Amino acid sequence: MVFVKTHDISELTSELIGKEVVLGGWIEDLRKLGKMSFITLRDVSGISQVIVKGELNDNLGEINRQSVVSVKGIVQETKARDFAFEIKAEEIDVLGKAIHPLPVDPIGRVESNIDTRLNHRALDMRNQKTASIFKLRHHVLQSLRKTLAEKKFIEITTPKIIGSASEGGANLFSLEYFGKKAYLAQSPQLYKEQMTIGLERVFEISNFYRAENSHTGRHLSEFTSIDIEAAFMDYNDVMDVLESLVMDVYKFTAENCKKEQEVIGHTIEVPKSPFEKVTYNQCIDELKSAGEKIEFGDDLLDSHLRIIGDNHPGFFFLTDWPMKLKPFYIREKDEDPELSRSFDLQYGYLELSSGGTRLHNPEMLKARLKEQDLDPAQFTDHLKAFDWGMPPHSGWGMGLDRLMTTLIGIDNVREVVLYPRDPDRLSP
Ligand code: AMO
């Protein structure tokens, strides 16, 4: 049995013609034509054709499509249009049998609905479109980390099991923790703010949890968040960081993920920069002009955001929200304390990120907690840090899953998450 690969399929070159290689992958297609068989072999890097002749062909037996095999053979030129080279097989070993019927067709000839694909996600990953989405997600993560490191942000990992809410009481999953009540973190908010004391600029890319009973294409119970927090920056500075991060992700993937774009059937268009900044007050005016009954201080509903999104397609910042609509840690504007130094990054109607300048005066922070019916005693550990020399700081959180949907032009986050969690889906 041979299972040590000498090459990935994409590594086959004309220099290898006449040489022996060992490939490993799965059988995408197998055609027996009497004295000969043609196998289409796929691995993560590409596809190749394997020619099986003579005694090897006579003894080939039944091998189901999608079974994993290793093939030892000689590289040769091919007349087949779809392949760069072919392999004349000398030895074929079945390493992992695929038992038919399979629950989804990874070739995509028979289309399966998203639920069926998610229920059999590992096999769905042999569908080239699905694999391309997750290769793209990998490149997005690489790009984000590269840009943030260049901007001197230090990557941190904060706890996901916590003793009190980070974002206030709503939407918390609770669990039993050795006889005590614990929660799953909704965001790294408090920890990332605290870390600016010693690390100044931090970022985290992790999963966070929201017990939101929402059944939409953009809400998950477990989502991946990209979070930053930066000392000595205000909300305009962190908006700049966010914009350059998004621009870099688009440029990097547009340039380096040509094959993935082709397979997905979507061309990544690098957006225009700078992104427009639209204030909350401007939105209220636009909504009134569109005939909506809305006043300063009202939250923007989905229906409102659809109107605003139509007026401002693509990326734009929605800034200067009323203080009363913002979480306790957001700071007011000096010139108008009813307004906050805050923003959302929108992609049309879709909210991708929110952030702002933080309150860093502990007394004001305590007052804001009370204003929002939160108990400062629950935040003792956090508030302590504000007496140890807390720098002024700002930050934001962005949903990676939502960002991915903008990149590939789809409207369901479940397509870009390996094993999505939502109110109806807890396994696999
Ligand atoms: P917020 O609650 O707005 O802000 O979340 C930030 C971003 O996270 C994404 N997101 C979600 N994605 C999928 N499913 C969900 N249920 C979900 N909830 C949120 C969105 C959203 O814009 N601590 C602040 C950020 C900060 O100020 O630093 C926060 O969590 O894309």
Side-chain angles (χ1 to χ4, degrees):
M1 191 180 272
V2 275
F3 53 83
V4 180
K5 274 190 186 201
T6 58
H7 296 80
D8 282 339
I9 288 171
S10 65
E11 289 168 345
L12 298 179
T13 60
S14 48
E15 274 156 37
L16 287 168
I17 288 173
K19 302 227 164 74
E20 188 180 83
V21 295
V22 181
L23 303 180
W26 54 94
I27 294 181
E28 198 165 273
D29 201 11
L30 192 157
R31 281 169 300 136
K32 285 192 169 168
L33 302 173
K35 287 188 167 21
M36 255 171 117
S37 294
F38 294 92
I39 294 175
T40 305
L41 183 72
R42 189 180 281 282
D43 70 9
V44 69
S45 71
I47 45 173
S48 188
Q49 173 159 268
V50 178
I51 313 286
V52 193
K53 287 183 181 164
E55 208 179 320
L56 193 60
N57 187 48
D58 299 340
N59 299 330
L60 197 56
E62 273 303 311
I63 312 178
N64 280 340
R65 290 184 178 82
Q66 297 301 325
S67 295
V68 165
V69 293
S70 66
V71 176
K72 190 195 238 180
I74 306 293
V75 181
Q76 56 188 34
E77 280 175 19
T78 181
K79 291 195 192 91
R81 257 187 302 136
D82 298 341
F83 312 100
F85 305 97
E86 62 188 28
I87 309 296
K88 183 166 172 289
E90 294 172 336
E91 200 177 325
I92 297 179
D93 286 311
V94 180
L95 306 176
K97 281 186 187 157
I99 313 290
H100 284 214
L102 292 169
V104 294
D105 171 22
I107 312 296
R109 273 187 211 128
V110 183
E111 282 228 5
S112 300
N113 66 30
I114 174 124
D115 275 316
T116 310
R117 289 197 289 110
L118 291 176
N119 288 340
H120 310 94
R121 197 50 143 166
L123 187 56
D124 181 42
M125 209 49 70
R126 284 192 182 164
N127 180 319
Q128 290 311 290
K129 201 165 167 182
T130 307
S132 294
I133 290 175
F134 286 91
K135 288 177 186 172
L136 203 61
R137 189 174 162 121
H138 158 80
H139 286 289
V140 168
L141 285 164
Q142 301 272 303
S143 165
L144 289 167
R145 288 202 160 91
K146 181 168 176 287
T147 306
L148 284 164
E150 279 166 9
K151 293 185 184 294
K152 301 194 170 57
F153 283 81
I154 294 171
E155 183 160 7
I156 57 169
T157 309
T158 61
K160 305 296 167 279
I161 304 177
I162 55 173
S164 60
S166 38
E167 296 278 340
N171 304 336
L172 265 178
F173 283 112
S174 60
L175 58 115
E176 226 248 8
Y177 189 77
F178 303 112
K180 293 194 202 90
K181 196 162 185 184
Y183 305 95
L184 291 180
Q186 299 151 305
S187 82
Q189 187 62 37
L190 310 186
Y191 295 110
K192 67 174 180 172
E193 284 194 51
Q194 291 174 29
M195 286 307 106
T196 63
I197 286 188
L199 297 176
E200 291 199 16
R201 294 180 197 179
V202 293
F203 79 98
E204 175 162 15
I205 303 179
S206 282
N207 283 8
F208 290 94
Y209 303 88
R210 307 267 170 113
E212 272 171 307
N213 200 356
S214 302
H215 300 259
T216 73
R218 58 185 194 281
H219 288 96
L220 293 168
S221 316
E222 178 177 42
F223 70 102
T224 305
S225 183
I226 309 143
D227 274 89
I228 75 154
E229 203 62 34
F232 309 110
M233 284 197 183
D234 80 354
Y235 75 130
N236 286 305
D237 300 320
V238 293
M239 272 190 267
D240 287 347
V241 173
L242 181 51
E243 179 168 327
S244 58
L245 222 63
V246 170
M247 290 302 291
D248 283 357
V249 160
Y250 268 75
K251 284 183 199 155
F252 184 82
T253 51
E255 185 67 27
N256 295 291
C257 302
K258 299 258 195 274
K259 195 170 154 195
E260 287 75 14
Q261 293 174 69
E262 198 183 304
V263 175
I264 295 168
H266 177 80
T267 307
I268 295 171
E269 304 279 356
V270 178
K272 284 203 185 68
S273 139
F275 298 164
E276 191 185 4
K277 284 183 180 157
V278 184
T279 65
Y280 168 89
N281 272 323
Q282 188 181 331
C283 288
I284 297 297
D285 290 343
E286 287 182 20
L287 290 168
K288 281 183 176 162
S289 317
E292 295 292 312
K293 282 205 177 68
I294 188 161
E295 295 304 329
F296 177 86
D298 292 343
D299 205 354
L300 302 185
L301 306 173
D302 198 42
S303 55
H304 298 138
L305 288 171
R306 297 226 176 230
I307 297 171
I308 304 294
D310 285 345
N311 293 352
H312 307 272
F315 291 99
F316 67 97
F317 288 108
L318 209 166
T319 70
D320 301 33
W321 290 72
M323 273 300 273
K324 69 174 232 198
L325 294 178
K326 283 287 141 181
F328 64 88
Y329 45 80
I330 290 285
R331 187 168 167 184
E332 77 290 351
K333 292 186 86 169
D334 290 340
E335 62 278 25
D336 186 350
E338 269 199 89
L339 292 179
S340 64
R341 305 183 198 206
S342 69
F343 62 87
D344 283 0
L345 175 65
Q346 295 288 133
Y347 181 78
Y349 80 93
L350 180 68
E351 177 200 313
L352 289 179
S353 168
S354 28
T357 306
R358 319 303 190 183
L359 278 173
H360 81 287
N361 172 318
E363 293 316 313
M364 290 175 76
L365 201 51
K366 276 182 222 161
R368 278 284 285 170
L369 281 166
K370 285 187 196 146
E371 235 176 79
Q372 300 206 348
D373 286 331
L374 294 165
D375 179 7
Q378 294 287 318
F379 292 83
T380 310
D381 287 330
H382 181 56
L383 291 167
K384 271 194 289 200
F386 286 72
D387 291 334
W388 300 336
M390 177 65 83
H393 56 280
S394 302
W396 46 255
M398 170 161 64
L400 173 68
D401 317 307
R402 291 189 186 178
L403 178 68
M404 286 296 305
T405 64
T406 71
L407 200 66
I408 57 181
I410 54 163
D411 55 15
N412 190 350
V413 280
R414 287 161 191 77
E415 291 283 0
V416 302
V417 175
L418 280 184
Y419 291 97
R421 296 288 176 254
D422 64 31
D424 301 321
R425 186 170 275 285
L426 183 56
S427 51

